Amino acid sequence: MPGVSSDSARGALVPLSPESPGAAVYPLRHGLKSPISRLSISWSRGNSLRVSLFAAPSSDGSVNDGDGGKVVEVKLGGGDGEISEAHWRRIAYGSVSPFALLQSRKNAVFSLSKMSMTSSPYDGDWWDYIMEYSKDINALLVNQKSASVPVLDDPKSVITKGEEPTSLKAAWELLEMFYAEKPSHSWLPERLVDWLADYDSLFSGTHPTVHSKLVDFQKELVNLQVVEDDPKYWEVVSSALAVGWLNIVVKMLRLHGSYRLDQLSNRETENGLVEAVAVLISKMPRMRLEQEAGKLGECYKAKPDFVKAWEKWRGQINKLDSSAFWFQCAHQQTREGLRSMLQIMLGNANSLCSATYNWIELYISHFLYMRPLTVGLESMYSLAQKSIQLKPMASAHRLMGLIIGILGENTEVVLAECLKGFGPWMVAHAIELLTAGSDHAEMLLHEERQNLGGISIEELHRLVYAQVLSSFPLTWQIAPIYLMSCMKHGMVLLQILLSKQPVQDNQLLLKSIEICRLYELHSVTSNIMKIAGVHHWKHGRKGSGVFWLQQARDEYRLNRIALQLFDSVGKTISDESFKQWEGLIQLLGSDSKTAGGLEFLHKYRDFKKSLRQIHNGKATDSARQAVESLISLMKNPSTPQRFWLPLLYDSLKLLNWKERPLLNVSQTNLLLNKLQELSMARLRPDFFESELPPQALNSVRLALGTNLGRAILEE
Amino acid sequence: MAFAESQNPLRVRRIPQSRYIDAVRWLSPVSPSDRFAAIAYFDAETNSPSIEIAYVDPNPQSSSPTLTLQSSWTSPSRISSLKTAHSTPQPLLAAATFSGSLHILASDLINGGVMESEATVSELGFHSGPVSAVDLREGGTECVSVGEDGRVNLVSFVGDSSNLSYRRIFDAKGLVGYTAVKWASPSEFATGGYGFGIQWWDQRTPGGPVLQFKGNWCQGKTSGIVHSIDIHPSRKHTCLAGGSSGTVFAWDRRAAQQPIVLSGAETGEAPNSLLSESEVWEVQYDRYTRRSNISNISSTRILPVMICSEDGILAVIEQGEEPLELLAEPCAINSFDIDQQNPSNVICSLEWESLAILTRS
């Protein structure tokens, strides 16, 4: 956890609410027959608990199947039903690059503004960067299940099924439109209309919606012969009109029976009225930047143009409403239905209220038909409050809470709603948008807080998200990106995270080391290598152990394991096992610094090699080399004392060389001194007795004496 | 550094898998139009490893899914090394696991790709600890496996016995660990390990490696591990190896102890030739070349090489030329395979639970 504040009484960083809902009880299937005597619970990977159950030993002492114990993994919280674990991970992977890019751009902009001393660092390309970030993240939230697009346009299909919308994407788009798009709030109402058109179905689960009514009606439509006789038809058309789904409305109006060729002649007036309404709907003026191709309505960018068109359009509606043709329309449902539609278009509050099913739909209909010129969050917020009063809701959808928070301009509420409804990923990434344009929010989120242990809210949420990533074996590698963006505690937590990674597998180990290299954490690198080295050594992989300890330049441990190695060297470096040792000695290299006490092995190998060559019959030259190796080994302080006698005993052949003495006087004296030292050392209690024949010492002494005599004579 | 996009068109298809991919290989096809791949998955949510055969849609533009699962085999442990070999009537797969077992699988590509375990070695003492690398001989009758425990095992199979017999070629008793292996000829193979060492083995000369390449040419600065070895059938005297610190080198057995460094931190050349500083996970000779025939390239020159690395690079290196970068991913590329029949196709596995299929044209 991120650092605990000095105030330990309020030390909790993520406060637990005491009024949490009553405890739920879930049965755990463990399959143990005997009663449970002991229980142990620990964290497993990610969100799982490992519950170990120990059964009580059966009283009669018999052993039955199912006795003993069992370990069960319990997954906590099925997560978001909407988004699978795998999809969450895909989002996590995908958001790394946009996040990292934005951070580096932020740093660049910040340092540039420091240099040029301009007041606001955030201008120019800044909004492009933010928008690019938001779009990149948004693209990740698309549901992978691709929708099948029908090739033929079915005239009876009023509602087309696009991709399955998700609340997460809906929430991100809300944040994007309010915080990331360069603030031009006059378009916001129309943006919200589009947003609801995309995501109205999300509310269907908990609230009645226009979308669900449309879906229901779609099912009945197949069996309906005369649509206009069905009151539901008019209900649904009015509702769709109220929330501004103009294309659907016009398409549905064209299903009206009066369009049929066989009826056209006797229902001419009626058909004229239906068509007039349809035309008026398709000509509705909209104040928006652009209109998607094929969408109905006429768009105006400038306010004066829009107001003029709006007045003209309403005039036309009024004119139609008071026209005399209504009396000639014989079909009662058509007459009433169409006129109630006109009321909606004229912005009749009661009609709007009865045509919509929840406050958001009502809210949107107000934007469309009553107050298309609403500007500013304050007036949008008061309108939302009014809509909620008119259509109170029993339970709030997580998106509704978010909308209210955004409109209320309350950053803390927005953050809380993001965390509650969408989890740590959302908060960590949404903060970038919240702080993009608002100085107030920036101050609030960047201020270092005493009760959070001296870190800011922004850092807290990044740390929490990094913890979530760290707990899962596949995502821990991306946690460093987020930790490194945390000024206060990021580095320390990164070091802890890296030190905790398993070292058994080389591939994982090297991945950890690579991250250390990127962030220049050399001390962590060498710690990890040491741990790996000791691990391999303990498990009998001596070569791997030596390699990692060498990489870590751990002289101390290399010397320690050298002592252990020597124990086995004395016994096993025989001719047949030479090849096994060869590889290890090669690994040690000629550089004695990284080899520690193992340098001895290297020289010993050279000595053994020349000795062997003598056996192979390559006479005097090899013998000379062997003598040189022997002398340098005996001179070298790193040669352990316990090897002195075996070395000399191995060299008996050299000492008794037939042709001429190979060692000169001083060399022989050196060896004799060593032998003397050895005899003295034998009296000490900690002396290590080699497994040589008991007469070894004497035969070496004799050989050295003889050699000394011969050497003196020669000189 | 040259980027591939500017020179020759390259189509990349990235396919999210929702599972970690431990290894990926092409399977040699039964008919020329087939494209099958063997993928070793690890599902971290359920802790279950498996090998699956998938049909790969060869047409990059088509709207149908790129990968279609054909069959699946559940492995007792995570796959540490996967190799495939051409064999009649069915291509063979050799899969080694972290628990120290070896599995020979055959996939019937004609009848829906059903995969069957032909044989298994899992007895105690085969390897202690994970098998770090395995290689299947072309034609598929023998398989060599190595581990960090220092054991080199030769597994022969004739096809009808379900329990394989193996022969221990060498046991270094942990004093040396091996991390890579590759057949050179029916009797020779090369292994790689710590300290950039390469060993050359000949079954006709038992008792240990015939030749050893000492990796201490780095002059003690930093050493590394060989992760992958490749040997070209027409250049058996040269071992190609890739390993730590972006090192890619070739060892010509005729030229004793001097390596030919193709890429790496220790080359001392101009810094722009440094392709990657992190682990090179896999190396393979790249048979896809627009140049004239291989036979025209002098025998002392190293043939083009493809590598993938921990820092997300997939590139082709030619001796003395700027490396050609094919992919630069934000995450590690852990393994790749070049289609032997159609070398313009490359499949690679990415750290972030996805596959990428490249088509060069």
Side-chain angles (χ1 to χ4, degrees), chain B residues 103-123:
Chain B
H103 307 270
I104 305 294
L105 310 168
S107 174
D108 189 352
L109 295 180
I110 302 165
N111 301 316
V114 178
M115 195 168 11
E116 274 172 14
S117 172
E118 293 276 302
T120 295
V121 199
S122 58
E123 61 210 74

mmCIF file with all atom_site columns, all heavy atoms in Angstrom, chain B residues 103-123:
data_model
loop_
_atom_site.group_PDB
_atom_site.id
_atom_site.type_symbol
_atom_site.label_atom_id
_atom_site.label_alt_id
_atom_site.label_comp_id
_atom_site.label_asym_id
_atom_site.label_entity_id
_atom_site.label_seq_id
_atom_site.pdbx_PDB_ins_code
_atom_site.Cartn_x
_atom_site.Cartn_y
_atom_site.Cartn_z
_atom_site.occupancy
_atom_site.B_iso_or_equiv
_atom_site.pdbx_formal_charge
_atom_site.auth_seq_id
_atom_site.auth_comp_id
_atom_site.auth_asym_id
_atom_site.auth_atom_id
_atom_site.pdbx_PDB_model_num
ATOM 1   N N   . HIS B 1 103 ? 6.543  -34.101 -24.768 1.00 0.00 ? 103 HIS B N   1
ATOM 2   C CA  . HIS B 1 103 ? 5.378  -34.697 -25.411 1.00 0.00 ? 103 HIS B CA  1
ATOM 3   C C   . HIS B 1 103 ? 5.527  -34.606 -26.918 1.00 0.00 ? 103 HIS B C   1
ATOM 4   O O   . HIS B 1 103 ? 5.869  -33.549 -27.438 1.00 0.00 ? 103 HIS B O   1
ATOM 5   C CB  . HIS B 1 103 ? 4.103  -33.986 -24.976 1.00 0.00 ? 103 HIS B CB  1
ATOM 6   C CG  . HIS B 1 103 ? 3.959  -33.914 -23.493 1.00 0.00 ? 103 HIS B CG  1
ATOM 7   N ND1 . HIS B 1 103 ? 3.328  -34.888 -22.770 1.00 0.00 ? 103 HIS B ND1 1
ATOM 8   C CD2 . HIS B 1 103 ? 4.425  -33.008 -22.610 1.00 0.00 ? 103 HIS B CD2 1
ATOM 9   C CE1 . HIS B 1 103 ? 3.398  -34.568 -21.481 1.00 0.00 ? 103 HIS B CE1 1
ATOM 10  N NE2 . HIS B 1 103 ? 4.049  -33.440 -21.357 1.00 0.00 ? 103 HIS B NE2 1
ATOM 11  N N   . ILE B 1 104 ? 5.279  -35.719 -27.582 1.00 0.00 ? 104 ILE B N   1
ATOM 12  C CA  . ILE B 1 104 ? 5.282  -35.725 -29.034 1.00 0.00 ? 104 ILE B CA  1
ATOM 13  C C   . ILE B 1 104 ? 3.827  -35.790 -29.483 1.00 0.00 ? 104 ILE B C   1
ATOM 14  O O   . ILE B 1 104 ? 3.087  -36.679 -29.084 1.00 0.00 ? 104 ILE B O   1
ATOM 15  C CB  . ILE B 1 104 ? 6.043  -36.942 -29.586 1.00 0.00 ? 104 ILE B CB  1
ATOM 16  C CG1 . ILE B 1 104 ? 7.457  -36.996 -29.004 1.00 0.00 ? 104 ILE B CG1 1
ATOM 17  C CG2 . ILE B 1 104 ? 6.080  -36.910 -31.108 1.00 0.00 ? 104 ILE B CG2 1
ATOM 18  C CD1 . ILE B 1 104 ? 8.357  -35.870 -29.409 1.00 0.00 ? 104 ILE B CD1 1
ATOM 19  N N   . LEU B 1 105 ? 3.413  -34.809 -30.281 1.00 0.00 ? 105 LEU B N   1
ATOM 20  C CA  . LEU B 1 105 ? 2.023  -34.748 -30.723 1.00 0.00 ? 105 LEU B CA  1
ATOM 21  C C   . LEU B 1 105 ? 1.983  -34.843 -32.237 1.00 0.00 ? 105 LEU B C   1
ATOM 22  O O   . LEU B 1 105 ? 2.908  -34.396 -32.918 1.00 0.00 ? 105 LEU B O   1
ATOM 23  C CB  . LEU B 1 105 ? 1.379  -33.429 -30.294 1.00 0.00 ? 105 LEU B CB  1
ATOM 24  C CG  . LEU B 1 105 ? 1.526  -33.033 -28.833 1.00 0.00 ? 105 LEU B CG  1
ATOM 25  C CD1 . LEU B 1 105 ? 1.100  -31.592 -28.644 1.00 0.00 ? 105 LEU B CD1 1
ATOM 26  C CD2 . LEU B 1 105 ? 0.685  -33.929 -27.967 1.00 0.00 ? 105 LEU B CD2 1
ATOM 27  N N   . ALA B 1 106 ? 0.889  -35.418 -32.732 1.00 0.00 ? 106 ALA B N   1
ATOM 28  C CA  . ALA B 1 106 ? 0.686  -35.434 -34.173 1.00 0.00 ? 106 ALA B CA  1
ATOM 29  C C   . ALA B 1 106 ? -0.659 -34.819 -34.458 1.00 0.00 ? 106 ALA B C   1
ATOM 30  O O   . ALA B 1 106 ? -1.613 -35.025 -33.721 1.00 0.00 ? 106 ALA B O   1
ATOM 31  C CB  . ALA B 1 106 ? 0.739  -36.863 -34.683 1.00 0.00 ? 106 ALA B CB  1
ATOM 32  N N   . SER B 1 107 ? -0.720 -34.044 -35.512 1.00 0.00 ? 107 SER B N   1
ATOM 33  C CA  . SER B 1 107 ? -1.976 -33.397 -35.834 1.00 0.00 ? 107 SER B CA  1
ATOM 34  C C   . SER B 1 107 ? -2.432 -33.842 -37.216 1.00 0.00 ? 107 SER B C   1
ATOM 35  O O   . SER B 1 107 ? -1.692 -33.723 -38.182 1.00 0.00 ? 107 SER B O   1
ATOM 36  C CB  . SER B 1 107 ? -1.785 -31.886 -35.802 1.00 0.00 ? 107 SER B CB  1
ATOM 37  O OG  . SER B 1 107 ? -2.955 -31.272 -36.248 1.00 0.00 ? 107 SER B OG  1
ATOM 38  N N   . ASP B 1 108 ? -3.653 -34.348 -37.266 1.00 0.00 ? 108 ASP B N   1
ATOM 39  C CA  . ASP B 1 108 ? -4.200 -34.805 -38.535 1.00 0.00 ? 108 ASP B CA  1
ATOM 40  C C   . ASP B 1 108 ? -4.844 -33.614 -39.236 1.00 0.00 ? 108 ASP B C   1
ATOM 41  O O   . ASP B 1 108 ? -6.011 -33.308 -39.018 1.00 0.00 ? 108 ASP B O   1
ATOM 42  C CB  . ASP B 1 108 ? -5.221 -35.910 -38.273 1.00 0.00 ? 108 ASP B CB  1
ATOM 43  C CG  . ASP B 1 108 ? -5.649 -36.568 -39.557 1.00 0.00 ? 108 ASP B CG  1
ATOM 44  O OD1 . ASP B 1 108 ? -5.272 -36.051 -40.632 1.00 0.00 ? 108 ASP B OD1 1
ATOM 45  O OD2 . ASP B 1 108 ? -6.346 -37.578 -39.494 1.00 0.00 ? 108 ASP B OD2 1
ATOM 46  N N   . LEU B 1 109 ? -4.086 -32.936 -40.074 1.00 0.00 ? 109 LEU B N   1
ATOM 47  C CA  . LEU B 1 109 ? -4.576 -31.690 -40.663 1.00 0.00 ? 109 LEU B CA  1
ATOM 48  C C   . LEU B 1 109 ? -5.663 -31.934 -41.694 1.00 0.00 ? 109 LEU B C   1
ATOM 49  O O   . LEU B 1 109 ? -6.467 -31.062 -41.971 1.00 0.00 ? 109 LEU B O   1
ATOM 50  C CB  . LEU B 1 109 ? -3.412 -30.925 -41.301 1.00 0.00 ? 109 LEU B CB  1
ATOM 51  C CG  . LEU B 1 109 ? -2.358 -30.435 -40.326 1.00 0.00 ? 109 LEU B CG  1
ATOM 52  C CD1 . LEU B 1 109 ? -1.272 -29.701 -41.067 1.00 0.00 ? 109 LEU B CD1 1
ATOM 53  C CD2 . LEU B 1 109 ? -2.972 -29.543 -39.272 1.00 0.00 ? 109 LEU B CD2 1
ATOM 54  N N   . ILE B 1 110 ? -5.690 -33.130 -42.282 1.00 0.00 ? 110 ILE B N   1
ATOM 55  C CA  . ILE B 1 110 ? -6.686 -33.389 -43.312 1.00 0.00 ? 110 ILE B CA  1
ATOM 56  C C   . ILE B 1 110 ? -8.062 -33.545 -42.682 1.00 0.00 ? 110 ILE B C   1
ATOM 57  O O   . ILE B 1 110 ? -9.045 -32.991 -43.146 1.00 0.00 ? 110 ILE B O   1
ATOM 58  C CB  . ILE B 1 110 ? -6.321 -34.651 -44.118 1.00 0.00 ? 110 ILE B CB  1
ATOM 59  C CG1 . ILE B 1 110 ? -4.936 -34.439 -44.735 1.00 0.00 ? 110 ILE B CG1 1
ATOM 60  C CG2 . ILE B 1 110 ? -7.361 -34.935 -45.191 1.00 0.00 ? 110 ILE B CG2 1
ATOM 61  C CD1 . ILE B 1 110 ? -4.294 -35.689 -45.250 1.00 0.00 ? 110 ILE B CD1 1
ATOM 62  N N   . ASN B 1 111 ? -8.123 -34.238 -41.564 1.00 0.00 ? 111 ASN B N   1
ATOM 63  C CA  . ASN B 1 111 ? -9.419 -34.468 -40.918 1.00 0.00 ? 111 ASN B CA  1
ATOM 64  C C   . ASN B 1 111 ? -9.620 -33.530 -39.740 1.00 0.00 ? 111 ASN B C   1
ATOM 65  O O   . ASN B 1 111 ? -9.688 -33.933 -38.586 1.00 0.00 ? 111 ASN B O   1
ATOM 66  C CB  . ASN B 1 111 ? -9.523 -35.921 -40.446 1.00 0.00 ? 111 ASN B CB  1
ATOM 67  C CG  . ASN B 1 111 ? -9.366 -36.874 -41.609 1.00 0.00 ? 111 ASN B CG  1
ATOM 68  O OD1 . ASN B 1 111 ? -9.937 -36.651 -42.671 1.00 0.00 ? 111 ASN B OD1 1
ATOM 69  N ND2 . ASN B 1 111 ? -8.555 -37.903 -41.421 1.00 0.00 ? 111 ASN B ND2 1
ATOM 70  N N   . GLY B 1 112 ? -9.630 -32.250 -40.029 1.00 0.00 ? 112 GLY B N   1
ATOM 71  C CA  . GLY B 1 112 ? -9.993 -31.270 -39.013 1.00 0.00 ? 112 GLY B CA  1
ATOM 72  C C   . GLY B 1 112 ? -8.907 -30.985 -37.999 1.00 0.00 ? 112 GLY B C   1
ATOM 73  O O   . GLY B 1 112 ? -9.167 -30.376 -36.971 1.00 0.00 ? 112 GLY B O   1
ATOM 74  N N   . GLY B 1 113 ? -7.723 -31.414 -38.262 1.00 0.00 ? 113 GLY B N   1
ATOM 75  C CA  . GLY B 1 113 ? -6.613 -31.035 -37.383 1.00 0.00 ? 113 GLY B CA  1
ATOM 76  C C   . GLY B 1 113 ? -6.623 -31.665 -36.012 1.00 0.00 ? 113 GLY B C   1
ATOM 77  O O   . GLY B 1 113 ? -6.016 -31.145 -35.088 1.00 0.00 ? 113 GLY B O   1
ATOM 78  N N   . VAL B 1 114 ? -7.306 -32.792 -35.846 1.00 0.00 ? 114 VAL B N   1
ATOM 79  C CA  . VAL B 1 114 ? -7.372 -33.426 -34.533 1.00 0.00 ? 114 VAL B CA  1
ATOM 80  C C   . VAL B 1 114 ? -5.955 -33.733 -34.045 1.00 0.00 ? 114 VAL B C   1
ATOM 81  O O   . VAL B 1 114 ? -5.143 -34.305 -34.768 1.00 0.00 ? 114 VAL B O   1
ATOM 82  C CB  . VAL B 1 114 ? -8.209 -34.725 -34.583 1.00 0.00 ? 114 VAL B CB  1
ATOM 83  C CG1 . VAL B 1 114 ? -8.222 -35.402 -33.228 1.00 0.00 ? 114 VAL B CG1 1
ATOM 84  C CG2 . VAL B 1 114 ? -9.606 -34.396 -35.044 1.00 0.00 ? 114 VAL B CG2 1
ATOM 85  N N   . MET B 1 115 ? -5.693 -33.341 -32.806 1.00 0.00 ? 115 MET B N   1
ATOM 86  C CA  . MET B 1 115 ? -4.345 -33.499 -32.284 1.00 0.00 ? 115 MET B CA  1
ATOM 87  C C   . MET B 1 115 ? -4.318 -34.643 -31.295 1.00 0.00 ? 115 MET B C   1
ATOM 88  O O   . MET B 1 115 ? -5.186 -34.771 -30.449 1.00 0.00 ? 115 MET B O   1
ATOM 89  C CB  . MET B 1 115 ? -3.919 -32.212 -31.600 1.00 0.00 ? 115 MET B CB  1
ATOM 90  C CG  . MET B 1 115 ? -2.454 -32.167 -31.366 1.00 0.00 ? 115 MET B CG  1
ATOM 91  S SD  . MET B 1 115 ? -1.863 -30.549 -30.875 1.00 0.00 ? 115 MET B SD  1
ATOM 92  C CE  . MET B 1 115 ? -3.293 -29.625 -30.518 1.00 0.00 ? 115 MET B CE  1
ATOM 93  N N   . GLU B 1 116 ? -3.337 -35.502 -31.448 1.00 0.00 ? 116 GLU B N   1
ATOM 94  C CA  . GLU B 1 116 ? -3.229 -36.622 -30.526 1.00 0.00 ? 116 GLU B CA  1
ATOM 95  C C   . GLU B 1 116 ? -1.834 -36.659 -29.943 1.00 0.00 ? 116 GLU B C   1
ATOM 96  O O   . GLU B 1 116 ? -0.854 -36.392 -30.622 1.00 0.00 ? 116 GLU B O   1
ATOM 97  C CB  . GLU B 1 116 ? -3.496 -37.933 -31.266 1.00 0.00 ? 116 GLU B CB  1
ATOM 98  C CG  . GLU B 1 116 ? -4.973 -38.254 -31.327 1.00 0.00 ? 116 GLU B CG  1
ATOM 99  C CD  . GLU B 1 116 ? -5.239 -39.443 -32.214 1.00 0.00 ? 116 GLU B CD  1
ATOM 100 O OE1 . GLU B 1 116 ? -4.278 -40.153 -32.556 1.00 0.00 ? 116 GLU B OE1 1
ATOM 101 O OE2 . GLU B 1 116 ? -6.409 -39.649 -32.551 1.00 0.00 ? 116 GLU B OE2 1
ATOM 102 N N   . SER B 1 117 ? -1.809 -37.037 -28.697 1.00 0.00 ? 117 SER B N   1
ATOM 103 C CA  . SER B 1 117 ? -0.510 -37.207 -28.070 1.00 0.00 ? 117 SER B CA  1
ATOM 104 C C   . SER B 1 117 ? 0.029  -38.558 -28.500 1.00 0.00 ? 117 SER B C   1
ATOM 105 O O   . SER B 1 117 ? -0.561 -39.598 -28.244 1.00 0.00 ? 117 SER B O   1
ATOM 106 C CB  . SER B 1 117 ? -0.656 -37.151 -26.558 1.00 0.00 ? 117 SER B CB  1
ATOM 107 O OG  . SER B 1 117 ? 0.557  -37.497 -25.967 1.00 0.00 ? 117 SER B OG  1
ATOM 108 N N   . GLU B 1 118 ? 1.121  -38.541 -29.220 1.00 0.00 ? 118 GLU B N   1
ATOM 109 C CA  . GLU B 1 118 ? 1.693  -39.782 -29.721 1.00 0.00 ? 118 GLU B CA  1
ATOM 110 C C   . GLU B 1 118 ? 2.496  -40.463 -28.627 1.00 0.00 ? 118 GLU B C   1
ATOM 111 O O   . GLU B 1 118 ? 2.483  -41.666 -28.499 1.00 0.00 ? 118 GLU B O   1
ATOM 112 C CB  . GLU B 1 118 ? 2.615  -39.478 -30.905 1.00 0.00 ? 118 GLU B CB  1
ATOM 113 C CG  . GLU B 1 118 ? 1.878  -38.975 -32.107 1.00 0.00 ? 118 GLU B CG  1
ATOM 114 C CD  . GLU B 1 118 ? 1.308  -40.113 -32.939 1.00 0.00 ? 118 GLU B CD  1
ATOM 115 O OE1 . GLU B 1 118 ? 2.105  -40.941 -33.368 1.00 0.00 ? 118 GLU B OE1 1
ATOM 116 O OE2 . GLU B 1 118 ? 0.088  -40.149 -33.125 1.00 0.00 ? 118 GLU B OE2 1
ATOM 117 N N   . ALA B 1 119 ? 3.213  -39.683 -27.885 1.00 0.00 ? 119 ALA B N   1
ATOM 118 C CA  . ALA B 1 119 ? 4.101  -40.276 -26.896 1.00 0.00 ? 119 ALA B CA  1
ATOM 119 C C   . ALA B 1 119 ? 4.529  -39.229 -25.881 1.00 0.00 ? 119 ALA B C   1
ATOM 120 O O   . ALA B 1 119 ? 4.477  -38.037 -26.150 1.00 0.00 ? 119 ALA B O   1
ATOM 121 C CB  . ALA B 1 119 ? 5.333  -40.836 -27.588 1.00 0.00 ? 119 ALA B CB  1
ATOM 122 N N   . THR B 1 120 ? 4.930  -39.708 -24.727 1.00 0.00 ? 120 THR B N   1
ATOM 123 C CA  . THR B 1 120 ? 5.264  -38.815 -23.630 1.00 0.00 ? 120 THR B CA  1
ATOM 124 C C   . THR B 1 120 ? 6.452  -39.358 -22.847 1.00 0.00 ? 120 THR B C   1
ATOM 125 O O   . THR B 1 120 ? 6.535  -40.566 -22.627 1.00 0.00 ? 120 THR B O   1
ATOM 126 C CB  . THR B 1 120 ? 4.051  -38.707 -22.675 1.00 0.00 ? 120 THR B CB  1
ATOM 127 O OG1 . THR B 1 120 ? 2.992  -38.091 -23.380 1.00 0.00 ? 120 THR B OG1 1
ATOM 128 C CG2 . THR B 1 120 ? 4.373  -37.896 -21.454 1.00 0.00 ? 120 THR B CG2 1
ATOM 129 N N   . VAL B 1 121 ? 7.358  -38.506 -22.477 1.00 0.00 ? 121 VAL B N   1
ATOM 130 C CA  . VAL B 1 121 ? 8.361  -38.882 -21.478 1.00 0.00 ? 121 VAL B CA  1
ATOM 131 C C   . VAL B 1 121 ? 8.123  -37.974 -20.299 1.00 0.00 ? 121 VAL B C   1
ATOM 132 O O   . VAL B 1 121 ? 8.217  -36.761 -20.425 1.00 0.00 ? 121 VAL B O   1
ATOM 133 C CB  . VAL B 1 121 ? 9.807  -38.616 -21.927 1.00 0.00 ? 121 VAL B CB  1
ATOM 134 C CG1 . VAL B 1 121 ? 10.775 -39.419 -21.089 1.00 0.00 ? 121 VAL B CG1 1
ATOM 135 C CG2 . VAL B 1 121 ? 10.007 -38.888 -23.381 1.00 0.00 ? 121 VAL B CG2 1
ATOM 136 N N   . SER B 1 122 ? 7.778  -38.545 -19.177 1.00 0.00 ? 122 SER B N   1
ATOM 137 C CA  . SER B 1 122 ? 7.571  -37.702 -18.011 1.00 0.00 ? 122 SER B CA  1
ATOM 138 C C   . SER B 1 122 ? 8.156  -38.338 -16.765 1.00 0.00 ? 122 SER B C   1
ATOM 139 O O   . SER B 1 122 ? 7.905  -37.881 -15.670 1.00 0.00 ? 122 SER B O   1
ATOM 140 C CB  . SER B 1 122 ? 6.078  -37.441 -17.825 1.00 0.00 ? 122 SER B CB  1
ATOM 141 O OG  . SER B 1 122 ? 5.413  -38.661 -17.698 1.00 0.00 ? 122 SER B OG  1
ATOM 142 N N   . GLU B 1 123 ? 8.945  -39.412 -16.972 1.00 0.00 ? 123 GLU B N   1
ATOM 143 C CA  . GLU B 1 123 ? 9.437  -40.088 -15.776 1.00 0.00 ? 123 GLU B CA  1
ATOM 144 C C   . GLU B 1 123 ? 10.434 -39.217 -15.025 1.00 0.00 ? 123 GLU B C   1
ATOM 145 O O   . GLU B 1 123 ? 11.067 -38.325 -15.604 1.00 0.00 ? 123 GLU B O   1
ATOM 146 C CB  . GLU B 1 123 ? 10.067 -41.421 -16.158 1.00 0.00 ? 123 GLU B CB  1
ATOM 147 C CG  . GLU B 1 123 ? 11.249 -41.287 -17.077 1.00 0.00 ? 123 GLU B CG  1
ATOM 148 C CD  . GLU B 1 123 ? 11.391 -42.511 -17.982 1.00 0.00 ? 123 GLU B CD  1
ATOM 149 O OE1 . GLU B 1 123 ? 10.587 -42.641 -18.914 1.00 0.00 ? 123 GLU B OE1 1
ATOM 150 O OE2 . GLU B 1 123 ? 12.306 -43.308 -17.728 1.00 0.00 ? 123 GLU B OE2 1
#
